[in-house]
Amino acid sequence: MDTYNDITNNIFKESSLTYDQKFKQLFAKKVFLAPVLKNIVPEYKELNLETIEELITTHSNVKVNPQVYNADDSGKGNETETHYDVLADCALPDGD
């Protein structure tokens, strides 16, 4: 399994990708998201990083119907489809 440092070093090497694309790659990696979630989500605070990674499901370059992932985003206007460069589903430790 790649470590956090392996992933960040590989992504930020000289390449034709823009920084925007590189950050999207980072946020699609569970090993990158786990420590972020551990420090932000109270339910994850006491969990080890491997357990948090098991609770994350990431999707890249996803288009969804707004009824599936409905957010209070007043900027959407009349759009019928929303595009997410990176989408992560994160389950709570108790199975919710």
Side-chain angles (χ1 to χ4, degrees):
M1 179 193 296
D2 290 331
T3 66
Y4 174 84
N5 287 335
D6 293 336
I7 289 172
T8 55
N9 289 338
N10 288 336
I11 288 175
F12 285 106
K13 285 183 178 176
E14 289 298 319
S15 72
S16 61
L17 297 177
T18 65
Y19 281 114
D20 182 55
Q21 291 167 317
K22 292 177 184 180
F23 278 101
K24 289 173 188 173
Q25 285 180 353
L26 279 177
F27 280 98
K29 304 290 183 186
K30 294 179 182 185
V31 70
F32 180 80
L33 285 174
V36 174
L37 292 170
K38 182 176 180 74
N39 288 294
I40 294 174
V41 179
E43 292 85 355
Y44 288 0
K45 192 96 177 147
E46 302 302 319
L47 300 177
N48 64 46
L49 295 176
E50 292 78 20
T51 301
I52 296 171
E53 288 177 28
E54 292 172 6
L55 297 171
I56 300 170
T57 304
T58 59
H59 317 275
S60 295
N61 201 20
V62 177
K63 291 182 181 180
V64 296
N65 183 312
Q67 285 76 27
V68 176
Y69 286 95
N70 193 5
D72 295 330
D73 183 358
S74 60
K76 283 201 250 185
N78 294 326
E79 293 180 26
T80 58
E81 188 174 72
T82 302
H83 180 268
Y84 293 92
D85 294 315
V86 176
L87 180 66
D89 294 317
C90 304
L92 292 175
D94 62 5
D96 292 340

